[in-house]
Amino acid sequence: MDKYSGLTAQKRLLKEYKQLLKDSPEGLAAFPTVDHNIFEWTCFIEGPKDTLYENGVYVAKLKFPKDYPLSPPEMTFVPGSILHPNVYKDGRVCISILHQPGDDPNQYESADERWSPVQSVEKILLSVVSMLNEPNLESGANIDACKLYRDYPEEYAKVIKNGIRKSLGMDIIN
C-alpha cells in the first residue's frame, strides 16, 4: 500500500465526517474515535422506531482500511450489546454492503449489493438501521439468534427488551 492511497482515504474520510457533522441522519452519529486516527470511528445507532430495538442505543466501531473507499470498513458492535441474526456473537456486522466488492464466491449476493466506492459511512449506518428492522435469516451470522427469532419470536423480543433495559441501567430498578 503506497502513501498516496492512505492520503486519499484520509481525505475521503474527513469529507464524510464533515458531511455527517453538517447533516447526520436522525438517530445516527459517527466520528473518529481518536483525534489522530481517522481510520477508527465510533458510531451510535438509535434503535429504529416501531421495531424491537426502539429505545435502544447501540455502540459500534468502524475500522477503515488504508485503501478506503476501494475496500469496505469492518463494523463491530460492542460485543454482547446486541442480539441480532446478522451480528456475530463477537459483534461483527454481516451485511452485504460491507462485503468485498465484486462477485460473491458463494453466489448468494449480486455484485451491486456488495461494497463499492460510491458507498459511504452514512449509507453503511442506514443499512444497519434497515438490518435491525428486517433481519436476513437466509444469511445469518448468529445461528442461535436466527433460530430464536424464527422459532420463538416472543422470547427473542423479550431478550431484546431486556438488553435495552440493561443498556439503559434499568435492570437494577425493580
Side-chain angles (χ1 to χ4, degrees):
M1 189 62 48
D2 63 20
K3 184 177 178 181
Y4 178 75
S5 296
L7 290 175
T8 302
Q10 288 177 354
K11 287 180 183 179
R12 167 75 181 261
L13 288 167
L14 187 56
K15 180 180 177 183
E16 289 190 45
Y17 175 54
K18 287 179 180 178
Q19 178 60 37
L20 284 171
L21 284 175
K22 181 179 170 186
D23 187 29
S24 185
E26 186 177 336
L28 300 173
F31 46 87
T33 304
V34 179
D35 290 346
H36 300 293
N37 188 356
I38 192 85
F39 293 100
E40 292 186 23
W41 291 29
T42 298
C43 307
F44 292 93
I45 301 170
E46 193 175 300
K49 292 188 185 310
D50 301 321
T51 71
L52 294 174
Y53 298 92
E54 184 175 16
N55 299 320
V57 177
Y58 303 95
V59 180
K61 301 286 183 193
L62 274 171
K63 289 189 178 183
F64 297 91
K66 299 293 182 196
D67 68 343
Y68 180 82
L70 297 177
S71 295
E74 293 179 7
M75 185 173 198
T76 306
F77 281 100
V78 173
S81 67
I82 188 168
L83 176 71
H84 192 278
N86 304 115
V87 177
Y88 290 99
K89 290 179 181 181
D90 67 1
R92 287 178 297 130
V93 176
C94 180
I95 55 174
S96 300
I97 193 174
L98 294 176
H99 293 163
Q100 288 294 330
D103 293 326
D104 179 4
N106 299 318
Q107 299 180 344
Y108 176 76
E109 302 165 331
S110 64
D112 62 333
E113 294 175 303
R114 297 166 70 87
W115 180 259
S116 79
V118 300
Q119 306 296 1
S120 65
V121 172
E122 180 178 338
K123 289 178 183 177
I124 293 167
L125 296 175
L126 291 171
S127 293
V128 170
V129 169
S130 179
M131 174 198 81
L132 291 176
N133 193 32
E134 298 177 30
N136 179 355
L137 299 181
E138 293 178 18
S139 179
N142 182 332
I143 302 304
D144 294 335
C146 287
K147 288 179 182 178
L148 192 62
Y149 180 88
R150 183 190 64 222
D151 299 339
Y152 305 99
E154 298 84 14
E155 183 64 24
Y156 182 84
K158 184 178 175 182
V159 170
I160 299 304
K161 294 301 177 192
N162 285 339
I164 291 170
R165 290 179 57 82
K166 184 178 179 182
S167 73
L168 297 174
M170 295 173 65
D171 61 330
I172 59 173
I173 300 171
N174 290 330

